[in-house]
Amino acid sequence: MERTQVQGGNYQGIRRHLRHRMPAVSTKPGVHELLVNAAQSIENSGRITIRTGEEGERVWVEIEDTGHGIKPEHLSRIFDPFFTTKPIGKGTGLGLSLSYGIVQKHDGRIEVKSDVGKGTVFKVLLPKRAASGSGKS
Ligand SMILES: Nc1ncnc2c1ncn2[C@@H]1O[C@H](COP(=O)(O)OP(=O)(O)OP(=O)(O)O)[C@@H](O)[C@H]1O
Ligand SMILES: [Mg+2]
């Protein structure tokens, strides 16, 4: 397992790391939305941790934040198009539905665990054949 901790919004560092670990996965826009959400969930200072790994026939990437978390009653709705808890004009609520669609298309899945006030972990699992497919990185 590889782990990267990114302090101070070093987004280039994150992208480099993902490219290095998951060269051909064409799900970058999906992962991008998770990173944006993670960053937006942190009010002042916090930590985003990215882990990547493989198990059996799958590769995975996990994005963990120490942000405000997701209320349990929202968890079943976050992938719905236009579901947002952000103020009007801030979020369209399309980010996660985009991620979900892309990952589904690659026969993958997204898992989420969240604790209000503590943070959230999103894990994207993809079959290796998707990872070696047509993706541009
Ligand atoms: N890492 C996270 N921490 C806390 N809440 C999250 C996180 N990721 C998603 N959410 C919740 O899920 C909702 C839906 O996320 P989604 O990315 O689809 O839309 P959005 O971020 O609100 O708007 P957009 O992505 O269009 O700018 C968010 O409004 C937020 O309530
Ligand atoms: Mg979003």
Side-chain angles (χ1 to χ4, degrees):
M1 187 181 81
E2 289 279 322
R3 193 163 90 135
T4 304
Q5 287 200 348
V6 182
Q7 310 260 354
N10 181 359
Y11 189 63
Q12 287 305 323
I14 299 173
R15 291 183 45 167
R16 255 199 313 277
H17 182 74
L18 288 178
R19 208 156 47 225
H20 172 65
R21 291 292 305 163
M22 307 183 92
V25 174
S26 57
T27 51
K28 204 165 81 184
V31 173
H32 171 90
E33 293 298 330
L34 300 181
L35 287 169
V36 172
N37 284 343
Q40 289 174 343
S41 77
I42 293 169
E43 247 148 65
N44 294 314
S45 70
R47 196 172 59 240
I48 297 174
T49 305
I50 313 209
R51 300 180 189 86
T52 53
E54 48 185 309
E55 36 187 63
E57 289 307 300
R58 290 184 304 196
V59 291
W60 54 266
V61 54
E62 206 173 68
I63 291 152
E64 176 172 3
D65 64 66
T66 58
H68 54 63
I70 303 171
K71 291 184 183 162
E73 64 267 33
H74 289 164
L75 270 180
S76 61
R77 301 169 63 196
I78 55 173
F79 295 102
D80 295 350
F82 305 112
F83 176 80
T84 182
T85 58
K86 289 169 189 167
I88 292 170
K90 280 271 159 116
T92 63
L94 287 172
L96 282 184
S97 77
L98 176 81
S99 298
Y100 184 85
I102 293 171
V103 170
Q104 284 283 93
K105 251 196 160 144
H106 287 82
D107 297 321
R109 66 170 203 268
I110 305 182
E111 297 172 354
V112 53
K113 273 185 269 177
S114 190
D115 264 328
V116 174
K118 289 195 175 158
T120 303
V121 191
F122 279 90
K123 184 171 187 176
V124 177
L125 299 107
L126 295 161
K128 282 184 182 165
R129 65 189 152 74
S132 60
S134 61
K136 290 181 280 179
S137 67

